[in-house]
């Protein structure tokens, strides 16, 4: 069996309050409520009131595990889950305008994009508000999203149609890209490539922006209507909030599945917070041609302590012999297997430190599972599938690869 390592040791309070890795906190223009989904179930939490307006953003606090920061029109506050369906709420600051998105910086401060004054601000753990951007900005008066980039310390800001960078240490932003077709409603980052990920509300787009500023649609526009919140889960899938309290999960093949519907409140989702389990899976590279299409590898299962992580590759010959290639080192550049095996267009992306054998199923899907333990803490594991589709070495096909950061 293949168990996924997650060495986040959950506090007893987290277990008794039923906040678990993989849970999703959901908010949406409420004066007092938010929901926590363990898909497909949603538990509603009602506070005595946020004090000064409706919520727009929510952020999980991994330091205490049971705490969520809620921000909105004129406030940022701390909601602490005290039991199933019960919560306490403490205001952190009322000295903000309209909080459209929140993120953590590297020092435990909350970075806020404030569309009340169209600036980027920082809220310290003590509730002190500090302006990070000052004066006239290139994003103008339509700020609608923004997040701290953990790789650079910069802050990426979204407005009507574009993305901007507030460089670390600067108080003035610079343009990245425009012409996105609508309001940027949430900004996140690909933890493996560092690319910017963003939802574009009025264009119903989910886009990737790479370091050169090239924009690509991750799914067909309209796959999720009016996307208004975004998170990336531990398996690299996209969680997107939409109208009617709906939360969709988009897998790495671009398929959207409705996984939860918030009831606290029932309206448009304006903010999502994902409770990470201590690891992350990222896919990279490309598979070569298998008998029924490209050999595509995806990750499935759960990133929680004691849960099972499965890697699955598809389009193989039915019942073919396969290998899961596990390595501690990613090969850069990858090794072309054509000269070695005659496998045209196939590459090896990971060092072959351990090989796990098995068979594809009758429809040509090959699956493998990994059992982790405490020794995996802080390690990175690379996984790739290789399948012998016929009777000769030249019939070997290889999938893309997965990087698992524990």
């Amino acid at each position: 069996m293949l168990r996924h390592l997650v060495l986040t040791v959950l506090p007893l309070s987290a277990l008794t309050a039923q906040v678990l890795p993989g849970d999703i906190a959901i908010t949406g223009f409420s004066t007092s409520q938010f929901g926590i989904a363990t898909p497909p179930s949603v538990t509603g939490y009602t506070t005595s009131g946020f004090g000064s307006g409706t919520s727009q953003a929510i952020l999980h606090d991994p330091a205490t595990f049971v705490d969520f920061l809620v921000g909105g029109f004129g406030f940022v506050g701390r909601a602490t889950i005290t039991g199933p369906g019960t919560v306490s709420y403490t205001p952190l600051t009322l000295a903000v305008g309209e909080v459209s998105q929140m993120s953590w910086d590297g020092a435990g401060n909350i970075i806020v994009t404030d569309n009340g004054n169209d600036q980027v601000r920082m809220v310290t753990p003590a509730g002190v508000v500090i302006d990070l951007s000052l004066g006239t900005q290139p994003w103008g008066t339509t700020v609608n999203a923004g997040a701290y980039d953990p790789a650079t310390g910069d802050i990426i800001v979204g407005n009507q149609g574009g993305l901007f960078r507030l460089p670390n240490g600067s108080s003035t932003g610079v343009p990245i890209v425009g012409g996105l077709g609508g309001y940027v409603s949430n900004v996140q980052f690909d933890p493996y490539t560092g690319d910017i990920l963003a939802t574009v509300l009025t264009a119903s787009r989910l886009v990737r922006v790479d370091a050169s500023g090239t924009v690509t649609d991750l799914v067909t526009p309209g796959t999720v209507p009016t996307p208004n919140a975004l998170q990336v889960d531990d398996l690299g899938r996209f969680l997107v909030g939409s109208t009617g309290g709906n939360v969709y999960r988009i897998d790495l093949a671009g398929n959207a599945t409705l996984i939860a519907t918030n009831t606290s409140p029932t309206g448009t989702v304006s903010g999502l917070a994902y409770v990470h389990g201590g690891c992350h899976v990222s896919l990279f590279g490309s598979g070569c041609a298998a008998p029924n299409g490209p050999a595509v590898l995806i990750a499935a299962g759960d990133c929680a302590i004691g849960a099972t992580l499965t890697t699955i590759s598809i389009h193989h010959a039915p019942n073919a012999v396969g290998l899961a290639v596990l390595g501690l080192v990613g090969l850069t550049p990858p090794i072309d297997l054509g000269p070695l095996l005659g496998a045209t267009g196939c590459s090896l992306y990971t060092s072959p430190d351990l090989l796990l054998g098995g068979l594809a199923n009758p429809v040509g899907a090959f699956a493998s599972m990994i059992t982790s333990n405490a020794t995996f803490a802080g390690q990175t594991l690379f996984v790739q599938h290789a399948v012998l589709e016929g009777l000769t070495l030249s019939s070997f096909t290889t999938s893309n690869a997965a990087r698992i950061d524990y």
Side-chain angles (χ1 to χ4, degrees):
M1 297 294 294
L2 236 138
R3 264 190 206 224
H4 187 220
L5 165 68
V6 178
L7 290 177
T8 301
V9 178
L10 304 187
L12 180 60
S13 59
L15 298 177
T16 57
Q18 297 185 351
V19 178
L20 299 172
D23 284 355
I24 307 163
I26 312 165
T27 193
F29 304 109
S30 172
T31 59
S32 61
Q33 294 182 313
F34 64 94
I36 295 182
T38 304
S41 300
V42 178
T43 301
Y45 292 86
T46 301
T47 72
S48 57
F50 297 132
S52 60
T54 60
S55 58
Q56 283 200 109
I58 193 163
L59 181 66
H60 179 239
D61 186 350
T64 66
F65 206 86
V66 294
D67 281 15
F68 294 85
L69 282 300
V70 182
F73 289 74
F75 71 93
V76 175
R78 180 176 294 273
T80 301
I81 306 302
T82 55
T86 60
V87 60
S88 64
Y89 175 78
T90 305
L92 187 58
T93 182
L94 300 178
V96 291
E98 299 175 12
V99 176
S100 56
Q101 188 176 346
M102 300 183 295
S103 56
W104 295 107
D105 72 3
N109 301 300
I110 306 162
I111 303 301
V112 167
T113 45
D114 190 334
N115 56 318
N117 60 16
D118 294 293
Q119 300 290 357
V120 177
R121 315 178 82 180
M122 180 175 74
V123 180
T124 71
V128 177
V129 179
I130 300 170
D131 292 325
L132 298 182
S133 64
L134 299 169
T136 303
Q137 296 293 331
W139 52 68
T141 60
T142 59
V143 166
N144 201 50
Y148 176 88
D149 183 348
T152 64
D154 300 342
I155 298 162
I156 306 302
V157 177
N159 77 338
Q160 162 65 356
L163 289 164
F164 304 81
R165 182 182 303 277
L166 182 66
N168 187 9
S170 173
S171 60
T172 303
V174 294
I176 299 174
V177 68
L180 297 180
Y183 274 98
V184 175
S185 51
N186 202 275
V187 172
Q188 300 294 332
F189 302 95
D190 185 319
Y192 182 68
T193 64
D195 292 345
I196 301 166
L197 309 172
T199 47
V200 186
L201 177 68
T202 44
S204 294
R205 298 179 72 185
L206 172 58
V207 300
R208 175 189 298 275
V209 182
D210 67 16
S212 69
T214 300
V215 180
T216 54
D217 283 290
L218 290 169
V219 295
T220 302
T223 297
V224 175
T226 57
N228 203 35
L230 174 65
Q231 288 282 284
V232 183
D233 75 7
D234 288 329
L235 299 187
R237 302 168 298 186
F238 307 114
L239 305 173
V240 183
S242 183
T243 56
N246 290 332
V247 178
Y248 295 84
R249 181 170 58 219
I250 300 176
D251 66 22
L252 297 166
N255 301 307
T257 303
L258 177 64
I259 61 169
T261 299
N262 192 28
T263 54
S264 300
T266 57
T268 295
V269 174
S270 61
L272 294 175
Y274 181 77
V275 180
H276 288 280
C279 69
H280 194 276
V281 179
S282 304
L283 303 184
F284 66 100
S286 59
C288 56
N292 298 303
V296 176
L297 181 142
I298 61 174
D302 192 5
C303 273
I305 295 172
T308 298
L309 179 70
T310 303
T311 53
I312 305 166
S313 57
I314 58 174
H315 295 150
H316 302 295
N319 306 310
V321 175
L323 293 172
V325 184
L326 278 65
L328 298 176
V329 177
L331 301 179
T332 305
I335 296 174
D336 181 0
L337 295 179
L340 181 64
L341 301 177
T344 304
C346 300
S347 297
L348 185 64
Y349 291 97
T350 179
S351 58
D353 298 317
L354 178 64
L355 304 177
L356 301 176
L359 296 175
N361 67 15
V363 296
F366 175 65
S368 184
M369 296 176 288
I370 306 166
T371 301
S372 62
N373 56 48
T375 64
F376 285 52
Q379 301 297 316
T380 296
L381 180 67
F382 296 87
V383 184
Q384 184 179 11
H385 289 184
V387 175
L388 185 62
E389 312 284 0
L391 299 177
T392 63
L393 287 178
S394 61
S395 70
F396 254 112
T397 61
T398 54
S399 70
N400 55 305
R403 169 177 168 156
I404 310 167
D405 292 301
Y406 292 110

